[in-house]
Amino acid sequence: MTYVEGFVVAVPTANKEAYRKHAADAAHLFKEFGVARMVECWGDDVPDGKVNDFKGAVQAKDDETVVFSWFEYPDRATRDAANEKMMSDPRMAQMGGEMPFDGKRMIIGGFDSIVDDRAEGKTAYVDGYVVPVPDGNKDAYRAMAEKASEVFRDYGATRVVEAWADDVPDGQVTDYARAAHKKDGESVVYSWVEWPSKEARTAGWEKMMTDERMKHDPATNPFDGARMIYGGFAPIVEA
């Protein structure tokens, strides 16, 4: 299954093109280091939450936009080897000094996929999620996610990935634990759904809201939905 390095970052909205170019220019390096796929998604439909949200996760300012992005690897060993190469490569050090965003507020972590379902079609829009799940509910969460994945794909999604926290460090300013208001005995899940367009995503969600397969008793939910953060993102780099 896919190993995921997931990122969430706040970028000054005025720096969108500089950020896109920065990421695109780095793509060949990441591929050289072993990244199988790199996707950078610009915040498009990122709502405020009552408890937490993507903006709060990275302390985004009024003039900043949230970016949801990830690297895909075949396994953790490949990810670890890639990170070692990145840490010692002078080209990465140079790029680190030219970042068009505040790296101190970027949250990062390694996640092991527990669901990775694919369908035919391109990726032109992404729903991104960060979810806190009790460790004892891992199997129940996977079962729920597998059921939901089938519905997503029936209504037009091209891929569904659910990835369980594996190497998710605490940060000095921001991190996934704070983003999800994680409690002791919980793990953070980083997940996304890929769509062929924003229009397909909108139409798909309208159909899913009335599908009997998506209805369940909130009391049996294997996670606290009030602390799930989510948003819609438009890919600006895919390599």
Side-chain angles (χ1 to χ4, degrees):
M1 297 277 278
T2 302
Y3 194 86
V4 176
E5 188 105 79
F7 308 85
V8 184
V9 61
V11 180
T13 304
N15 289 357
K16 180 178 181 180
E17 178 54 27
Y19 181 87
R20 187 205 63 76
K21 186 177 186 304
H22 179 83
D25 289 347
H28 74 282
L29 280 180
F30 295 136
K31 182 178 180 180
E32 177 184 324
F33 296 143
V35 175
R37 186 183 182 219
M38 164 188 170
V39 182
E40 299 276 350
C41 301
W42 191 261
D44 173 70
D45 179 19
V46 182
D48 295 334
K50 293 182 179 180
V51 178
N52 51 343
D53 53 39
F54 271 115
K55 298 170 188 175
V58 290
Q59 299 179 15
K61 302 172 184 177
D62 291 342
D63 62 348
E64 293 179 326
T65 297
V66 175
V67 170
F68 180 90
S69 62
W70 69 88
F71 294 165
E72 297 179 31
Y73 296 94
D75 49 47
R76 177 171 175 174
T78 305
R79 192 289 304 257
D80 290 348
N83 279 349
E84 288 185 10
K85 295 174 185 176
M86 292 178 197
M87 293 295 290
S88 61
D89 195 298
R91 295 171 295 177
M92 291 298 298
Q94 179 181 353
M95 290 187 61
E98 303 170 348
M99 296 189 301
F101 63 93
D102 179 7
K104 293 180 180 178
R105 288 184 285 132
M106 177 177 68
I107 60 178
I108 180 174
F111 301 82
D112 200 10
S113 63
I114 57 175
V115 173
D116 187 354
D117 294 331
R118 306 172 191 236
E120 294 296 326
K122 62 180 182 178
T123 299
Y125 203 81
V126 170
D127 279 321
Y129 306 87
V130 174
V131 190
V133 182
D135 293 332
N137 291 355
K138 184 175 181 179
D139 289 342
Y141 181 85
R142 180 192 288 112
M144 181 205 69
E146 289 173 342
K147 181 179 178 181
S149 172
E150 180 180 3
V151 182
F152 275 115
R153 288 176 288 120
D154 282 350
Y155 292 126
T158 59
R159 190 179 181 198
V160 178
V161 176
E162 301 274 353
W164 192 267
D166 172 68
D167 179 23
V168 182
D170 294 334
Q172 294 183 351
V173 180
T174 53
D175 53 38
Y176 279 107
R178 278 175 273 195
H181 293 193
K182 186 179 84 69
K183 301 176 182 178
D184 291 342
E186 293 182 331
S187 291
V188 174
V189 170
Y190 180 96
S191 67
W192 72 88
V193 179
E194 301 179 25
W195 300 91
S197 67
K198 183 176 181 179
E199 293 75 19
R201 176 250 202 174
T202 300
W205 269 108
E206 288 178 355
K207 295 173 182 175
M208 284 188 293
M209 292 299 288
T210 60
D211 193 298
E212 292 295 326
R213 294 173 292 175
M214 295 295 284
K215 296 180 181 179
H216 64 277
D217 183 355
T220 65
N221 210 11
F223 65 94
D224 179 7
R227 289 183 287 134
M228 178 178 72
I229 62 179
Y230 59 92
F233 300 84
I236 55 174
V237 174
E238 182 178 358

